[in-house]
Amino acid sequence: MEVLQITGGFVSLIGAVFLFLGSLGIVRMPDSYNRIQTGTKATTLGTLMFLIGVGLYNPSWFPKLIVLIFFILFTNPVSSHVLARAAYSIGTELTKLTVVDKLKDSRGEDIDA
Amino acid sequence: MKNLFISVVLLLSVWLLLNASLSPVVIVSGLIVTAIIAIFFSARNPVFKDMKLNPKAIIYFFLYFFVFTFELFKANLDVAKRVISPKLPINPGIVEVRTRLTSKIGRLFLANSITLTPGTLTVDIKNDSLFIHWIDVSSTDIEGATKKIVENFEKYLEVIYG
Amino acid sequence: MADTLFLIAGGIIILSLFVAAIRFFLGPDPVDRVIAFDVLTIISISLIALIAHEAGRGIYLDVAVVYGLLSFLGVIVVAKYLERGL
């Protein structure tokens, strides 16, 4: 029993570290797209691990936590994708480090045609 | 019919997990409510129609789940390394990849998987092409990028959704 | 032992809330603020789970479920608005 609780504590701690890295990522990254990358994904893994840790400490909560985990796992990529597309269509600039932009070529062809 | 069945199973499992009990009252009331909801919505919204229900697809679904979890961890560690290193070693760009999947829900799962493994983010979908923002571009042509990003997931999703 | 670990985790979570709030105030684009808002809500879900754990009441997890649902809808609506107006 004790072992399970301590494991839960460690898993939660690792999840919290990932949450911190995600929020550090949105401060450090140079443009919106890279912020979406680090922001919404490191935090997904962080939240998942934190919830699993809480579930290991309180096994009777696991059913509700599973609903929460799957909900986050399915909705988070959708919201980051919608945000990225919105950012691109209102013309948010890519950083100067960008090496290639295939989408620009493709949209350019549409306008010509 | 298959659409209706999968909708009921999904909704009922969420209901049972939220209740965290298996008493007859909960199961019966849940069945009635989920059946009503599924009948109303599945006629208009045939998202699960393309899903296959044979044993091979179910085995591949679980295999896919494990592959996906492994990729999620590996790629998150990679992004974490980039965030904390002082020089910020990123090399971003938007590349184009092609997919062989034809069903809508298969593409949804593919785009979601690509988005959740950090380093790649689906920006737009047009016909067979997915436009992906890649934090560390290593090949700019379509074939190379497809091989690196898509194929690992596609071989499982092809069996599950076709 | 486990309680100490959860307390440290809580401290790190609150710290990351403050770090994400920096991007929320700095901007500069609306998209950046929406990203920061998204990250803040995801972190808040973990915080609600932590509060449920500390208080020992599983019912608080329902709050986290509804909160996650609302934040998802909020981000989708704002993104749609930015893209071409509602």
PDB file of all heavy atoms in Angstrom, chain A residues 36 40 44 72 74-86, chain B residues 112 115 121-122, chain C residues 34-35 38 41-42 71-77 79:
ATOM      1  N   ILE A  36       2.812  26.872 -29.532  1.00  0.00           N
ATOM      2  CA  ILE A  36       1.744  25.864 -29.501  1.00  0.00           C
ATOM      3  C   ILE A  36       2.354  24.483 -29.308  1.00  0.00           C
ATOM      4  O   ILE A  36       1.872  23.678 -28.507  1.00  0.00           O
ATOM      5  CB  ILE A  36       0.914  25.920 -30.798  1.00  0.00           C
ATOM      6  CG1 ILE A  36       0.165  27.250 -30.913  1.00  0.00           C
ATOM      7  CG2 ILE A  36      -0.087  24.794 -30.834  1.00  0.00           C
ATOM      8  CD1 ILE A  36      -0.521  27.442 -32.236  1.00  0.00           C
ATOM      9  N   THR A  40       1.143  23.197 -25.605  1.00  0.00           N
ATOM     10  CA  THR A  40      -0.001  22.333 -25.390  1.00  0.00           C
ATOM     11  C   THR A  40       0.364  20.860 -25.331  1.00  0.00           C
ATOM     12  O   THR A  40      -0.507  20.052 -25.076  1.00  0.00           O
ATOM     13  CB  THR A  40      -1.056  22.530 -26.493  1.00  0.00           C
ATOM     14  OG1 THR A  40      -0.469  22.198 -27.735  1.00  0.00           O
ATOM     15  CG2 THR A  40      -1.527  23.950 -26.517  1.00  0.00           C
ATOM     16  N   THR A  44       0.199  18.332 -21.866  1.00  0.00           N
ATOM     17  CA  THR A  44      -0.678  17.158 -21.936  1.00  0.00           C
ATOM     18  C   THR A  44      -0.062  15.995 -21.184  1.00  0.00           C
ATOM     19  O   THR A  44      -0.708  15.376 -20.329  1.00  0.00           O
ATOM     20  CB  THR A  44      -0.910  16.744 -23.394  1.00  0.00           C
ATOM     21  OG1 THR A  44      -1.338  17.873 -24.122  1.00  0.00           O
ATOM     22  CG2 THR A  44      -1.953  15.661 -23.484  1.00  0.00           C
ATOM     23  N   ILE A  72      -8.826  14.672 -22.034  1.00  0.00           N
ATOM     24  CA  ILE A  72      -7.696  15.561 -22.322  1.00  0.00           C
ATOM     25  C   ILE A  72      -6.911  15.063 -23.523  1.00  0.00           C
ATOM     26  O   ILE A  72      -6.519  15.824 -24.405  1.00  0.00           O
ATOM     27  CB  ILE A  72      -6.796  15.684 -21.079  1.00  0.00           C
ATOM     28  CG1 ILE A  72      -7.531  16.453 -19.995  1.00  0.00           C
ATOM     29  CG2 ILE A  72      -5.500  16.378 -21.404  1.00  0.00           C
ATOM     30  CD1 ILE A  72      -6.824  16.466 -18.695  1.00  0.00           C
ATOM     31  N   PHE A  74      -7.926  13.479 -26.085  1.00  0.00           N
ATOM     32  CA  PHE A  74      -8.576  13.681 -27.376  1.00  0.00           C
ATOM     33  C   PHE A  74      -8.807  15.151 -27.702  1.00  0.00           C
ATOM     34  O   PHE A  74      -8.767  15.533 -28.862  1.00  0.00           O
ATOM     35  CB  PHE A  74      -9.910  12.938 -27.431  1.00  0.00           C
ATOM     36  CG  PHE A  74      -9.753  11.491 -27.741  1.00  0.00           C
ATOM     37  CD1 PHE A  74      -9.963  10.538 -26.772  1.00  0.00           C
ATOM     38  CD2 PHE A  74      -9.356  11.085 -28.993  1.00  0.00           C
ATOM     39  CE1 PHE A  74      -9.788   9.202 -27.050  1.00  0.00           C
ATOM     40  CE2 PHE A  74      -9.177   9.752 -29.277  1.00  0.00           C
ATOM     41  CZ  PHE A  74      -9.390   8.813 -28.303  1.00  0.00           C
ATOM     42  N   THR A  75      -9.062  15.981 -26.702  1.00  0.00           N
ATOM     43  CA  THR A  75      -9.416  17.365 -27.019  1.00  0.00           C
ATOM     44  C   THR A  75      -8.189  18.261 -27.177  1.00  0.00           C
ATOM     45  O   THR A  75      -8.243  19.220 -27.932  1.00  0.00           O
ATOM     46  CB  THR A  75     -10.323  17.954 -25.930  1.00  0.00           C
ATOM     47  OG1 THR A  75      -9.646  17.891 -24.693  1.00  0.00           O
ATOM     48  CG2 THR A  75     -11.618  17.231 -25.866  1.00  0.00           C
ATOM     49  N   ASN A  76      -7.095  17.944 -26.481  1.00  0.00           N
ATOM     50  CA  ASN A  76      -5.947  18.844 -26.529  1.00  0.00           C
ATOM     51  C   ASN A  76      -5.337  18.986 -27.914  1.00  0.00           C
ATOM     52  O   ASN A  76      -5.109  20.106 -28.369  1.00  0.00           O
ATOM     53  CB  ASN A  76      -4.893  18.370 -25.539  1.00  0.00           C
ATOM     54  CG  ASN A  76      -4.635  19.397 -24.500  1.00  0.00           C
ATOM     55  OD1 ASN A  76      -5.131  20.509 -24.594  1.00  0.00           O
ATOM     56  ND2 ASN A  76      -3.877  19.042 -23.509  1.00  0.00           N
ATOM     57  N   PRO A  77      -5.090  17.880 -28.637  1.00  0.00           N
ATOM     58  CA  PRO A  77      -4.563  18.056 -29.991  1.00  0.00           C
ATOM     59  C   PRO A  77      -5.529  18.795 -30.904  1.00  0.00           C
ATOM     60  O   PRO A  77      -5.097  19.563 -31.761  1.00  0.00           O
ATOM     61  CB  PRO A  77      -4.320  16.631 -30.468  1.00  0.00           C
ATOM     62  CG  PRO A  77      -5.028  15.761 -29.544  1.00  0.00           C
ATOM     63  CD  PRO A  77      -5.114  16.465 -28.262  1.00  0.00           C
ATOM     64  N   VAL A  78      -6.844  18.569 -30.712  1.00  0.00           N
ATOM     65  CA  VAL A  78      -7.806  19.266 -31.567  1.00  0.00           C
ATOM     66  C   VAL A  78      -7.715  20.764 -31.348  1.00  0.00           C
ATOM     67  O   VAL A  78      -7.645  21.557 -32.303  1.00  0.00           O
ATOM     68  CB  VAL A  78      -9.244  18.763 -31.286  1.00  0.00           C
ATOM     69  CG1 VAL A  78     -10.239  19.578 -32.074  1.00  0.00           C
ATOM     70  CG2 VAL A  78      -9.378  17.311 -31.638  1.00  0.00           C
ATOM     71  N   SER A  79      -7.658  21.176 -30.076  1.00  0.00           N
ATOM     72  CA  SER A  79      -7.626  22.627 -29.847  1.00  0.00           C
ATOM     73  C   SER A  79      -6.321  23.223 -30.332  1.00  0.00           C
ATOM     74  O   SER A  79      -6.311  24.336 -30.867  1.00  0.00           O
ATOM     75  CB  SER A  79      -7.883  22.952 -28.378  1.00  0.00           C
ATOM     76  OG  SER A  79      -6.917  22.396 -27.565  1.00  0.00           O
ATOM     77  N   SER A  80      -5.196  22.473 -30.200  1.00  0.00           N
ATOM     78  CA  SER A  80      -3.951  23.076 -30.686  1.00  0.00           C
ATOM     79  C   SER A  80      -3.927  23.132 -32.209  1.00  0.00           C
ATOM     80  O   SER A  80      -3.402  24.086 -32.782  1.00  0.00           O
ATOM     81  CB  SER A  80      -2.734  22.345 -30.140  1.00  0.00           C
ATOM     82  OG  SER A  80      -2.737  21.011 -30.529  1.00  0.00           O
ATOM     83  N   HIS A  81      -4.546  22.137 -32.861  1.00  0.00           N
ATOM     84  CA  HIS A  81      -4.621  22.183 -34.320  1.00  0.00           C
ATOM     85  C   HIS A  81      -5.481  23.359 -34.785  1.00  0.00           C
ATOM     86  O   HIS A  81      -5.085  24.102 -35.699  1.00  0.00           O
ATOM     87  CB  HIS A  81      -5.190  20.871 -34.844  1.00  0.00           C
ATOM     88  CG  HIS A  81      -5.788  20.964 -36.200  1.00  0.00           C
ATOM     89  ND1 HIS A  81      -5.026  21.249 -37.308  1.00  0.00           N
ATOM     90  CD2 HIS A  81      -7.058  20.868 -36.630  1.00  0.00           C
ATOM     91  CE1 HIS A  81      -5.812  21.285 -38.364  1.00  0.00           C
ATOM     92  NE2 HIS A  81      -7.057  21.071 -37.974  1.00  0.00           N
ATOM     93  N   VAL A  82      -6.654  23.551 -34.140  1.00  0.00           N
ATOM     94  CA  VAL A  82      -7.537  24.652 -34.545  1.00  0.00           C
ATOM     95  C   VAL A  82      -6.838  25.990 -34.342  1.00  0.00           C
ATOM     96  O   VAL A  82      -6.910  26.890 -35.195  1.00  0.00           O
ATOM     97  CB  VAL A  82      -8.853  24.584 -33.745  1.00  0.00           C
ATOM     98  CG1 VAL A  82      -9.692  25.811 -33.983  1.00  0.00           C
ATOM     99  CG2 VAL A  82      -9.630  23.366 -34.146  1.00  0.00           C
ATOM    100  N   LEU A  83      -6.102  26.094 -33.230  1.00  0.00           N
ATOM    101  CA  LEU A  83      -5.366  27.341 -32.960  1.00  0.00           C
ATOM    102  C   LEU A  83      -4.301  27.582 -34.013  1.00  0.00           C
ATOM    103  O   LEU A  83      -4.143  28.716 -34.498  1.00  0.00           O
ATOM    104  CB  LEU A  83      -4.695  27.242 -31.599  1.00  0.00           C
ATOM    105  CG  LEU A  83      -5.349  27.981 -30.463  1.00  0.00           C
ATOM    106  CD1 LEU A  83      -4.549  27.751 -29.214  1.00  0.00           C
ATOM    107  CD2 LEU A  83      -5.391  29.449 -30.784  1.00  0.00           C
ATOM    108  N   ALA A  84      -3.572  26.509 -34.391  1.00  0.00           N
ATOM    109  CA  ALA A  84      -2.505  26.685 -35.375  1.00  0.00           C
ATOM    110  C   ALA A  84      -3.077  27.126 -36.708  1.00  0.00           C
ATOM    111  O   ALA A  84      -2.533  28.006 -37.379  1.00  0.00           O
ATOM    112  CB  ALA A  84      -1.734  25.373 -35.538  1.00  0.00           C
ATOM    113  N   ARG A  85      -4.239  26.520 -37.100  1.00  0.00           N
ATOM    114  CA  ARG A  85      -4.819  26.898 -38.384  1.00  0.00           C
ATOM    115  C   ARG A  85      -5.317  28.338 -38.347  1.00  0.00           C
ATOM    116  O   ARG A  85      -5.136  29.098 -39.313  1.00  0.00           O
ATOM    117  CB  ARG A  85      -5.956  25.948 -38.736  1.00  0.00           C
ATOM    118  CG  ARG A  85      -6.162  25.862 -40.215  1.00  0.00           C
ATOM    119  CD  ARG A  85      -7.261  24.917 -40.562  1.00  0.00           C
ATOM    120  NE  ARG A  85      -8.504  25.305 -39.920  1.00  0.00           N
ATOM    121  CZ  ARG A  85      -9.635  24.643 -40.072  1.00  0.00           C
ATOM    122  NH1 ARG A  85      -9.669  23.578 -40.804  1.00  0.00           N
ATOM    123  NH2 ARG A  85     -10.731  25.049 -39.465  1.00  0.00           N
ATOM    124  N   ALA A  86      -5.931  28.714 -37.218  1.00  0.00           N
ATOM    125  CA  ALA A  86      -6.393  30.101 -37.093  1.00  0.00           C
ATOM    126  C   ALA A  86      -5.214  31.054 -37.169  1.00  0.00           C
ATOM    127  O   ALA A  86      -5.261  32.081 -37.863  1.00  0.00           O
ATOM    128  CB  ALA A  86      -7.146  30.280 -35.783  1.00  0.00           C
TER     129      ALA A  86
ATOM    130  N   ASN B 112      -4.476  13.739 -35.016  1.00  0.00           N
ATOM    131  CA  ASN B 112      -4.347  13.890 -33.571  1.00  0.00           C
ATOM    132  C   ASN B 112      -3.058  13.267 -33.069  1.00  0.00           C
ATOM    133  O   ASN B 112      -2.387  13.842 -32.206  1.00  0.00           O
ATOM    134  CB  ASN B 112      -5.529  13.228 -32.878  1.00  0.00           C
ATOM    135  CG  ASN B 112      -6.651  14.193 -32.634  1.00  0.00           C
ATOM    136  OD1 ASN B 112      -6.611  15.312 -33.122  1.00  0.00           O
ATOM    137  ND2 ASN B 112      -7.632  13.776 -31.898  1.00  0.00           N
ATOM    138  N   THR B 115      -0.208  15.463 -33.956  1.00  0.00           N
ATOM    139  CA  THR B 115      -0.163  16.663 -33.135  1.00  0.00           C
ATOM    140  C   THR B 115       0.321  16.367 -31.729  1.00  0.00           C
ATOM    141  O   THR B 115       1.015  17.177 -31.133  1.00  0.00           O
ATOM    142  CB  THR B 115      -1.550  17.303 -33.087  1.00  0.00           C
ATOM    143  OG1 THR B 115      -1.979  17.562 -34.404  1.00  0.00           O
ATOM    144  CG2 THR B 115      -1.525  18.589 -32.322  1.00  0.00           C
ATOM    145  N   LEU B 121       3.085  19.296 -35.616  1.00  0.00           N
ATOM    146  CA  LEU B 121       1.785  19.891 -35.324  1.00  0.00           C
ATOM    147  C   LEU B 121       1.028  20.049 -36.635  1.00  0.00           C
ATOM    148  O   LEU B 121       1.498  20.719 -37.545  1.00  0.00           O
ATOM    149  CB  LEU B 121       2.000  21.261 -34.676  1.00  0.00           C
ATOM    150  CG  LEU B 121       0.844  22.219 -34.551  1.00  0.00           C
ATOM    151  CD1 LEU B 121      -0.109  21.745 -33.485  1.00  0.00           C
ATOM    152  CD2 LEU B 121       1.344  23.587 -34.170  1.00  0.00           C
ATOM    153  N   THR B 122      -0.138  19.417 -36.735  1.00  0.00           N
ATOM    154  CA  THR B 122      -0.892  19.506 -37.985  1.00  0.00           C
ATOM    155  C   THR B 122      -1.501  20.892 -38.118  1.00  0.00           C
ATOM    156  O   THR B 122      -2.241  21.332 -37.251  1.00  0.00           O
ATOM    157  CB  THR B 122      -2.020  18.464 -37.991  1.00  0.00           C
ATOM    158  OG1 THR B 122      -1.512  17.237 -37.499  1.00  0.00           O
ATOM    159  CG2 THR B 122      -2.566  18.276 -39.377  1.00  0.00           C
TER     160      THR B 122
ATOM    161  N   VAL C  34      -4.152  33.299 -26.357  1.00  0.00           N
ATOM    162  CA  VAL C  34      -5.030  32.123 -26.300  1.00  0.00           C
ATOM    163  C   VAL C  34      -4.227  30.882 -25.918  1.00  0.00           C
ATOM    164  O   VAL C  34      -4.687  30.055 -25.136  1.00  0.00           O
ATOM    165  CB  VAL C  34      -5.754  31.901 -27.643  1.00  0.00           C
ATOM    166  CG1 VAL C  34      -6.670  30.714 -27.553  1.00  0.00           C
ATOM    167  CG2 VAL C  34      -6.550  33.110 -28.025  1.00  0.00           C
ATOM    168  N   ILE C  35      -2.988  30.778 -26.463  1.00  0.00           N
ATOM    169  CA  ILE C  35      -2.141  29.644 -26.089  1.00  0.00           C
ATOM    170  C   ILE C  35      -1.884  29.658 -24.600  1.00  0.00           C
ATOM    171  O   ILE C  35      -2.005  28.643 -23.911  1.00  0.00           O
ATOM    172  CB  ILE C  35      -0.798  29.694 -26.848  1.00  0.00           C
ATOM    173  CG1 ILE C  35      -1.021  29.554 -28.340  1.00  0.00           C
ATOM    174  CG2 ILE C  35       0.119  28.609 -26.373  1.00  0.00           C
ATOM    175  CD1 ILE C  35       0.142  30.035 -29.150  1.00  0.00           C
ATOM    176  N   ASP C  38      -4.852  28.531 -22.749  1.00  0.00           N
ATOM    177  CA  ASP C  38      -5.019  27.087 -22.839  1.00  0.00           C
ATOM    178  C   ASP C  38      -4.112  26.378 -21.844  1.00  0.00           C
ATOM    179  O   ASP C  38      -4.542  25.493 -21.092  1.00  0.00           O
ATOM    180  CB  ASP C  38      -4.698  26.653 -24.281  1.00  0.00           C
ATOM    181  CG  ASP C  38      -5.230  25.281 -24.600  1.00  0.00           C
ATOM    182  OD1 ASP C  38      -6.155  24.848 -23.904  1.00  0.00           O
ATOM    183  OD2 ASP C  38      -4.731  24.658 -25.535  1.00  0.00           O
ATOM    184  N   THR C  41      -5.349  26.775 -18.292  1.00  0.00           N
ATOM    185  CA  THR C  41      -6.471  25.917 -17.894  1.00  0.00           C
ATOM    186  C   THR C  41      -6.032  24.468 -17.713  1.00  0.00           C
ATOM    187  O   THR C  41      -6.504  23.797 -16.799  1.00  0.00           O
ATOM    188  CB  THR C  41      -7.602  25.975 -18.926  1.00  0.00           C
ATOM    189  OG1 THR C  41      -7.065  25.736 -20.216  1.00  0.00           O
ATOM    190  CG2 THR C  41      -8.294  27.293 -18.908  1.00  0.00           C
ATOM    191  N   ILE C  42      -5.100  24.015 -18.586  1.00  0.00           N
ATOM    192  CA  ILE C  42      -4.650  22.625 -18.429  1.00  0.00           C
ATOM    193  C   ILE C  42      -3.933  22.454 -17.098  1.00  0.00           C
ATOM    194  O   ILE C  42      -4.133  21.465 -16.390  1.00  0.00           O
ATOM    195  CB  ILE C  42      -3.738  22.213 -19.601  1.00  0.00           C
ATOM    196  CG1 ILE C  42      -4.526  22.196 -20.906  1.00  0.00           C
ATOM    197  CG2 ILE C  42      -3.185  20.839 -19.375  1.00  0.00           C
ATOM    198  CD1 ILE C  42      -3.659  22.108 -22.115  1.00  0.00           C
ATOM    199  N   SER C  71     -13.012  24.785 -21.039  1.00  0.00           N
ATOM    200  CA  SER C  71     -11.818  25.428 -21.591  1.00  0.00           C
ATOM    201  C   SER C  71     -11.620  25.006 -23.041  1.00  0.00           C
ATOM    202  O   SER C  71     -11.246  25.820 -23.888  1.00  0.00           O
ATOM    203  CB  SER C  71     -10.596  25.073 -20.760  1.00  0.00           C
ATOM    204  OG  SER C  71     -10.126  23.803 -21.117  1.00  0.00           O
ATOM    205  N   PHE C  72     -11.922  23.719 -23.348  1.00  0.00           N
ATOM    206  CA  PHE C  72     -11.820  23.244 -24.725  1.00  0.00           C
ATOM    207  C   PHE C  72     -12.761  24.043 -25.625  1.00  0.00           C
ATOM    208  O   PHE C  72     -12.348  24.567 -26.675  1.00  0.00           O
ATOM    209  CB  PHE C  72     -12.164  21.760 -24.756  1.00  0.00           C
ATOM    210  CG  PHE C  72     -12.298  21.192 -26.129  1.00  0.00           C
ATOM    211  CD1 PHE C  72     -11.227  21.175 -26.986  1.00  0.00           C
ATOM    212  CD2 PHE C  72     -13.501  20.661 -26.555  1.00  0.00           C
ATOM    213  CE1 PHE C  72     -11.348  20.646 -28.248  1.00  0.00           C
ATOM    214  CE2 PHE C  72     -13.625  20.134 -27.810  1.00  0.00           C
ATOM    215  CZ  PHE C  72     -12.551  20.123 -28.657  1.00  0.00           C
ATOM    216  N   LEU C  73     -14.022  24.175 -25.180  1.00  0.00           N
ATOM    217  CA  LEU C  73     -14.981  24.930 -25.987  1.00  0.00           C
ATOM    218  C   LEU C  73     -14.539  26.378 -26.148  1.00  0.00           C
ATOM    219  O   LEU C  73     -14.651  26.958 -27.231  1.00  0.00           O
ATOM    220  CB  LEU C  73     -16.369  24.892 -25.331  1.00  0.00           C
ATOM    221  CG  LEU C  73     -17.114  23.571 -25.525  1.00  0.00           C
ATOM    222  CD1 LEU C  73     -18.441  23.619 -24.810  1.00  0.00           C
ATOM    223  CD2 LEU C  73     -17.330  23.327 -26.995  1.00  0.00           C
ATOM    224  N   GLY C  74     -14.006  26.953 -25.062  1.00  0.00           N
ATOM    225  CA  GLY C  74     -13.570  28.343 -25.124  1.00  0.00           C
ATOM    226  C   GLY C  74     -12.486  28.540 -26.159  1.00  0.00           C
ATOM    227  O   GLY C  74     -12.549  29.463 -26.978  1.00  0.00           O
ATOM    228  N   VAL C  75     -11.483  27.646 -26.163  1.00  0.00           N
ATOM    229  CA  VAL C  75     -10.385  27.790 -27.118  1.00  0.00           C
ATOM    230  C   VAL C  75     -10.894  27.632 -28.546  1.00  0.00           C
ATOM    231  O   VAL C  75     -10.521  28.395 -29.450  1.00  0.00           O
ATOM    232  CB  VAL C  75      -9.268  26.767 -26.809  1.00  0.00           C
ATOM    233  CG1 VAL C  75      -8.255  26.741 -27.920  1.00  0.00           C
ATOM    234  CG2 VAL C  75      -8.606  27.111 -25.515  1.00  0.00           C
ATOM    235  N   ILE C  76     -11.780  26.648 -28.766  1.00  0.00           N
ATOM    236  CA  ILE C  76     -12.316  26.433 -30.119  1.00  0.00           C
ATOM    237  C   ILE C  76     -13.070  27.674 -30.599  1.00  0.00           C
ATOM    238  O   ILE C  76     -12.895  28.137 -31.733  1.00  0.00           O
ATOM    239  CB  ILE C  76     -13.264  25.217 -30.127  1.00  0.00           C
ATOM    240  CG1 ILE C  76     -12.512  23.957 -29.795  1.00  0.00           C
ATOM    241  CG2 ILE C  76     -13.956  25.095 -31.474  1.00  0.00           C
ATOM    242  CD1 ILE C  76     -11.772  23.356 -30.912  1.00  0.00           C
ATOM    243  N   VAL C  77     -13.899  28.239 -29.712  1.00  0.00           N
ATOM    244  CA  VAL C  77     -14.705  29.386 -30.122  1.00  0.00           C
ATOM    245  C   VAL C  77     -13.811  30.581 -30.449  1.00  0.00           C
ATOM    246  O   VAL C  77     -14.002  31.258 -31.465  1.00  0.00           O
ATOM    247  CB  VAL C  77     -15.725  29.736 -29.014  1.00  0.00           C
ATOM    248  CG1 VAL C  77     -16.333  31.089 -29.265  1.00  0.00           C
ATOM    249  CG2 VAL C  77     -16.808  28.692 -28.964  1.00  0.00           C
ATOM    250  N   ALA C  79     -10.697  30.513 -31.418  1.00  0.00           N
ATOM    251  CA  ALA C  79      -9.950  30.253 -32.646  1.00  0.00           C
ATOM    252  C   ALA C  79     -10.830  30.469 -33.872  1.00  0.00           C
ATOM    253  O   ALA C  79     -10.408  31.065 -34.865  1.00  0.00           O
ATOM    254  CB  ALA C  79      -9.401  28.825 -32.634  1.00  0.00           C
TER     255      ALA C  79
END
